[in-house]
Amino acid sequence: MTFRSRLFLGMLAVVVLTTAASLLLAQRQNQSTYAALADQLFSLQSSSFRDLQAVADRTAIEEVTRLATSVRLFAAMEENDPAIYRIAADELRQGNYAFFRMLDRSGAMLPPVDGAGGMIDMETVASQVPSAALAASDGSVQLGFVVLQQSGRDLPFRILAASINSFGVHVGTLVLGQSVRAPAGSDATDATLHSALVAGGRLVGSALPASLVEGLVNNAGLDDARPGMDRTGSHDTPEGETWLYRRSLLNPDSLFPEAWLVSAISTASFDAEQRALAWRITLTGVVAALLAGLFALGFARYLAEPVARLVKATRAIRAGDYAQRLPVTGTREMSQLAESFNDMAAGLELKERYHSVLQQVTDPQVAEGLIAGHVKLGGELRDVTVMFCDIRGYTALSVGRNPEEIIELLNHHMSAMTAVVQAHRGVINQFAGDAIMALFGAPRSYGDDAERAVRCALAMLVERERLNAFVHEPIRVGIGLAAGEMVAGCIGAENRNDYTVVGERVNLAARLCSTAKGGEVLIDGATRERIGADVPTEAIPPLTLKGFSEPMPAFRVVR
Amino acid sequence: MPNNAARSSRCCLPDGRIRTLLFRMEQTWRRYPVMLVVLLSFAGGQAWSADTAAGSIQGTVSLGAVMPLQAGTQYRTRTRSPILPPDTARAVVWLEPVDGGYPAAAPDSEVSIAQQGYQFRPGISAVRVGSAVRFPNQDDEFHSVFSYSQTRRFDLGRYRRGEESPAVVFDKPGVVKIYCEIHKHMRSILLVLDSPWFTVSGAEGDFRIDNVPPGRYVLKTFLPSEKTVEQQAEIRGGDVLQQDVGA
């Protein structure tokens, strides 16, 4: 995986994870804020309603107690006065009531007359109010809420039942109904708080979804099974809407059926907000991911380009192109790297130049030996075969040619011959004019140094003849070989010396060379002894050579 | 203290029945503020009436325990002077002939049920049918006397001391419960009777009805518990019938 794709994917992953995390956090935060808000609204609603209701309840209880202990009502009830409703209406004339009913000692309702709130269907009251509550004979006042139909509308009433008694003597029950305002929803922020009163299987107030109403009315199917005055829960309608609600018991410890104040909020608008928020965050995330991807690609390129240049330059250097240089640009780190690379390339180039110069001025074997430390600088006695090869008729060749031509001609010849020598593991010792001096067995011996030298000489002749086919004026060479023990080492000044061999055998080889005719290879006796019978030779008359007192036996290699 | 008194009285009374009663009395002593006293009446040296055509009946009503009115905690009445205790509970005893009617007699001379010390006095009374009753206010505050009794409904409204209270004529027999609208604790019971032979018992339940023609009667007693009990009684001329009424 490339750096670029890795960076790209990494950036993408970071952005996606950050987006997801912020989405989660934001939603959770919102959810808890909303829940707290709803809770606060519910508490406000129920506490304000309950405070008002508590005052109203107290007033109502005081009033009904006062009315129920009226001595006139008592006296009339005691006598089963047929005009009991009229007497009671007279007694209640200053009371606050929507309807009232009288019950006798056994709890049976006395038939009402006009003025007792005749429009109230008392069968409905009786169905909503158990007779146990109506027969409150212990002097306590029972308080409850009922929802009654009045001219086709459901209306909530506070209903109170008090014993008609005088000094502990119970003669009947007074049931008083007071109109109460149906709880109405209030607009708080953008969430509409709905509220309703539920009593005796009926609900009155704000419109609520049917499934929630059903649950509230039947007091079943809601997940707020926890008992208590205040119950909070959430309800999912079949339509997929979620409602948070709280219901507060309005008449604890009463014989009347439980009446609940319900506050409810639909989370629809909140859910929509949550979804919108999710979209916004997701969109932001996508944009951020795109930007991060672009940045990652750009940055990767910014980083990768110098790296690619570096790789290319390094490869070129490995291939031997030490002239490679990197532009010193970019970040501080990259420019430092480029500088270091350039320094390294310059160093390598310098070393390579030294190396090539060394190889030019000395034989590669010697150069390698020197570098590797094989060559003993102090000098040694070695068995070496020395070869000399020079051009026959060189003087004639150079006449009438300009120096460049001569140098080119020589260089061409020398290069070709050098290649043959090196192919035969020979060491070019020096070039002197048109002559080449080569060593076999120094600085390293390969065992068959003399034979290789002879074969090399023959190969040189073959090579020269091959080359002669392409040139206008053929060059003919003579080659002399001599073998024997000689001193090998670096000879010269302390800081400028050459690896070479010295001895009379060297002179002998030079003499044999100068004696050899063009296309002839002359060897001395020692060489002949060293080579096998595979190389045919023929003796020539011993040569009287300068510097040698005796005529030296010499042999011509038969081609 | 009361225990000592009971013990000392026990040693003076030899009769075993009395001892038993006293023992029961000791048991109930603390529970009832109205002491239950039943005494056998020894009417030794009984004086026979000179009129041999008429007889008398006398005895003691066992009044039974009467709970005082329970003033509820909510009941607060502000009065100018303190509320005095109500009259002691008494019973009304009368005779109804088993056969034969009542003598045509003039109604009782005007009867009065006063309001005094924030109580009706008497707390219980009886009149013959056709009698008129006045309800004089003797307190320094208004009273408002009314009754929803089926026997006689009336409502006198408010009037103060010295104002003439209208006389209410009771022309039907029955029980009339009388209340004051202002003072809820005030109550009085008036029995309107066909019979001229009636009396209100003493505080101890003792009663005597004189001038009763001989014959067979039903002795009816209206107890403080507002229950009426009946007994057979035969009156003989010139004789005093001794008959007690149990609770």
Side-chain angles (χ1 to χ4, degrees):
Chain A
M1 197 185 263
T2 62
F3 174 69
R4 181 185 296 200
S5 52
R6 203 171 281 189
L7 186 65
F8 180 75
L9 288 179
M11 288 293 262
L12 224 57
V14 166
V15 168
V16 166
L17 283 178
T18 311
T19 306
S22 39
L23 190 64
L24 199 74
L25 283 176
Q27 296 231 347
R28 196 160 290 176
Q29 177 70 36
N30 269 10
Q31 209 125 33
S32 65
T33 308
Y34 190 76
L37 177 70
D39 213 49
Q40 214 170 348
L41 282 175
F42 289 159
S43 297
L44 271 175
Q45 169 91 357
S46 62
S47 71
S48 71
F49 188 89
R50 199 174 280 168
D51 288 350
L52 286 174
Q53 191 224 344
V55 174
D57 285 353
R58 213 163 34 242
T59 314
I61 287 171
E62 274 169 18
E63 186 160 27
V64 79
T65 306
R66 185 172 56 76
L67 296 173
T69 54
S70 145
V71 68
R72 268 181 188 276
L73 206 56
F74 176 80
M77 201 71 197
E78 191 181 28
E79 294 291 340
N80 287 325
D81 196 301
I84 182 72
Y85 273 94
R86 266 196 283 282
I87 294 165
D90 189 52
E91 283 299 288
L92 299 177
R93 69 191 176 277
Q94 286 179 334
N96 159 34
Y97 67 92
F99 62 88
F100 71 89
R101 290 293 183 276
M102 316 293 292
L103 286 75
D104 66 13
R105 278 185 191 83
S106 65
M109 197 190 304
L110 302 176
V113 294
D114 285 350
M119 66 286 187
I120 297 294
D121 169 19
M122 279 315 282
E123 276 185 22
T124 317
V125 177
S127 73
Q128 292 199 27
V129 177
S131 56
L134 301 183
S137 58
D138 59 348
S140 69
V141 176
Q142 294 291 328
L143 180 136
F145 291 85
V146 293
V147 177
L148 299 175
Q149 262 199 344
Q150 193 174 5
S151 50
R153 286 173 63 211
D154 277 349
L155 291 175
F157 291 94
R158 176 185 291 109
I159 192 156
L160 301 120
S163 158
I164 302 172
N165 76 87
S166 184
F167 298 94
V169 180
H170 169 78
V171 292
T173 307
L174 172 67
V175 178
L176 204 68
Q178 296 182 329
S179 286
V180 290
R181 229 156 47 108
S186 63
D187 281 330
T189 65
D190 56 339
T192 307
L193 182 66
H194 296 255
S195 58
L197 185 92
V198 177
R202 288 199 190 175
L203 180 141
V204 64
S206 315
L208 293 172
S211 62
L212 180 58
V213 169
E214 199 179 324
L216 290 168
V217 161
N218 299 330
N219 195 13
L222 301 175
D223 61 354
D224 65 353
R226 179 172 60 89
M229 295 261 295
D230 286 328
R231 301 184 187 180
T232 308
S234 75
H235 173 78
D236 295 322
T237 66
E239 292 80 36
E241 203 178 345
T242 301
W243 286 74
L244 302 177
Y245 66 85
R246 175 182 290 185
R247 49 197 192 126
S248 309
L249 187 58
L250 295 176
N251 58 335
D253 310 322
S254 166
L255 291 173
F256 282 105
E258 288 183 337
W260 300 90
L261 173 71
V262 180
S263 309
I265 290 183
S266 165
T267 63
S269 64
F270 170 70
D271 289 341
E273 256 176 55
Q274 283 281 76
R275 274 196 296 280
L277 178 71
W279 273 113
R280 277 201 294 276
I281 289 179
T282 309
L283 200 69
T284 312
V286 167
V287 170
L290 280 177
L291 288 178
L294 283 178
F295 172 76
L297 288 179
F299 188 69
R301 196 167 166 182
Y302 178 70
L303 276 184
E305 249 182 14
V307 171
R309 274 204 302 272
L310 188 63
V311 168
K312 197 175 154 197
T314 312
R315 280 192 186 142
I317 281 179
R318 200 171 64 189
D321 178 9
Y322 298 102
Q324 287 291 332
R325 292 295 182 273
L326 292 175
V328 181
T329 53
T331 59
R332 194 190 308 162
E333 291 85 353
M334 286 316 294
S335 56
Q336 274 176 356
L337 183 61
E339 269 174 24
S340 306
F341 178 84
N342 287 348
D343 287 350
M344 181 198 75
L348 283 175
E349 191 180 23
L350 191 62
K351 271 190 190 144
E352 179 55 26
R353 200 174 296 153
Y354 284 153
H355 193 237
S356 62
V357 167
L358 184 63
Q359 284 202 339
Q360 274 174 20
V361 298
T362 180
D363 186 84
Q365 275 195 50
V366 178
E368 296 301 329
L370 282 170
I371 288 165
H374 294 151
V375 175
K376 289 189 177 158
L377 296 176
E380 58 184 336
L381 209 57
R382 296 190 69 93
D383 192 276
V384 178
T385 305
V386 183
M387 172 203 278
F388 279 89
C389 163
D390 65 0
I391 301 173
R392 293 289 96 89
Y394 169 69
T395 317
L397 202 68
S398 58
V399 170
R401 292 177 191 271
N402 58 34
E404 288 85 7
E405 252 181 313
I406 295 166
I407 292 297
E408 196 193 337
L409 193 94
L410 278 178
N411 281 353
H412 189 248
H413 167 74
M414 295 299 191
S415 296
M417 296 302 106
T418 300
V420 177
V421 169
Q422 284 177 344
H424 288 79
R425 295 183 181 172
V427 168
I428 303 292
N429 190 257
Q430 57 185 321
F431 299 105
D434 62 326
I436 300 166
M437 175 184 168
L439 306 174
F440 292 85
R444 267 184 83 181
S445 166
Y446 293 93
D448 53 348
D449 299 322
E451 193 180 329
R452 270 189 296 109
V454 173
R455 291 192 189 285
C456 178
L458 292 173
M460 283 163 85
L461 291 179
V462 171
E463 175 66 11
R464 189 59 257 173
E465 279 163 15
R466 191 184 66 81
L467 289 175
N468 283 347
F470 302 105
V471 294
H472 188 59
E473 283 177 73
I475 294 171
R476 298 175 64 78
V477 291
I479 298 171
L481 293 167
E485 291 215 319
M486 48 193 99
V487 174
C490 289
I491 295 159
E494 196 177 325
N495 52 4
R496 172 68 186 91
N497 52 42
D498 275 331
Y499 182 82
T500 189
V501 290
V502 290
E504 62 170 357
R505 292 283 160 188
V506 179
N507 292 344
L508 181 60
R511 298 287 175 247
L512 285 169
C513 174
S514 51
T515 308
K517 294 187 193 72
E520 212 175 43
V521 177
L522 300 181
I523 62 173
D524 67 340
T527 306
R528 189 169 171 273
E529 283 166 21
R530 282 169 173 77
I531 64 176
D534 294 347
V535 184
T537 55
E538 57 184 15
I540 59 169
L543 299 172
T544 307
L545 297 172
K546 191 180 170 189
F548 295 91
S549 51
E550 302 264 326
M552 296 300 290
F555 304 87
R556 187 169 57 231
V557 178
V558 180
R559 298 174 66 189
Chain B
M1 248 348 131
N3 281 350
N4 290 345
R7 220 168 279 143
S8 60
S9 59
R10 184 168 54 180
C11 63
C12 303
L13 297 164
D15 193 297
R17 217 173 138 199
I18 294 177
R19 218 174 294 143
T20 313
L21 279 166
L22 280 171
F23 176 67
R24 274 167 62 189
M25 202 174 73
E26 272 183 11
Q27 298 271 302
T28 55
W29 185 263
R30 286 164 201 279
R31 262 185 265 166
Y32 301 111
V34 178
M35 184 178 158
L36 195 152
V37 180
V38 177
L39 291 167
L40 280 175
S41 181
F42 295 98
Q46 296 154 333
W48 266 262
S49 169
D51 185 1
T52 51
S56 294
I57 183 166
Q58 70 174 20
T60 303
V61 178
S62 171
L63 292 172
V66 173
M67 303 293 279
L69 287 182
Q70 293 174 324
T73 47
Q74 289 127 342
Y75 182 60
R76 301 264 188 282
T77 287
R78 208 177 283 168
T79 51
R80 198 173 287 178
S81 43
I83 297 173
L84 300 181
D87 279 3
T88 42
R90 291 161 201 259
V92 175
V93 185
W94 71 99
L95 289 166
E96 288 180 8
V98 173
D99 44 343
Y102 300 101
D108 297 341
S109 55
E110 206 164 86
V111 180
S112 165
I113 299 175
Q115 299 105 56
Q116 189 261 320
Y118 305 98
Q119 301 290 357
F120 285 110
R121 302 195 194 275
I124 188 161
S125 46
V127 293
R128 278 202 76 183
V129 169
S131 302
V133 180
R134 285 188 186 276
F135 297 88
N137 182 354
Q138 295 172 8
D139 283 329
D140 293 330
E141 280 187 66
F142 282 113
H143 287 292
S144 178
V145 181
F146 75 94
S147 173
Y148 280 115
S149 294
Q150 287 170 18
T151 306
R152 178 71 167 89
R153 280 178 70 161
F154 66 92
D155 192 342
L156 302 182
R158 297 180 178 205
Y159 53 92
R160 63 167 97 219
R161 184 180 201 162
E163 281 182 50
E164 182 73 7
S165 81
V168 180
V169 177
F170 295 91
D171 43 14
K172 259 198 309 184
V175 179
V176 180
K177 292 188 174 181
I178 299 156
Y179 296 93
C180 170
E181 191 180 2
I182 301 168
H183 307 99
K184 292 182 183 178
H185 66 276
M186 288 173 65
R187 51 202 58 194
S188 179
I189 291 177
L190 172 68
L191 263 68
V192 184
L193 301 169
D194 288 322
S195 170
W197 309 292
F198 63 86
T199 187
V200 177
S201 78
E204 253 92 66
D206 51 305
F207 71 92
R208 181 183 173 111
I209 304 169
D210 291 322
N211 296 319
V212 186
R216 291 174 61 222
Y217 291 89
V218 179
L219 176 67
K220 292 194 173 183
T221 311
F222 184 85
L223 295 166
S225 66
E226 300 186 9
K227 267 190 281 183
T228 303
V229 292
E230 297 180 7
Q231 288 177 353
Q232 298 296 317
E234 190 161 353
I235 305 288
R236 279 186 287 268
D239 196 7
V240 176
L241 177 64
Q242 187 65 42
Q243 192 159 350
D244 295 332
V245 181

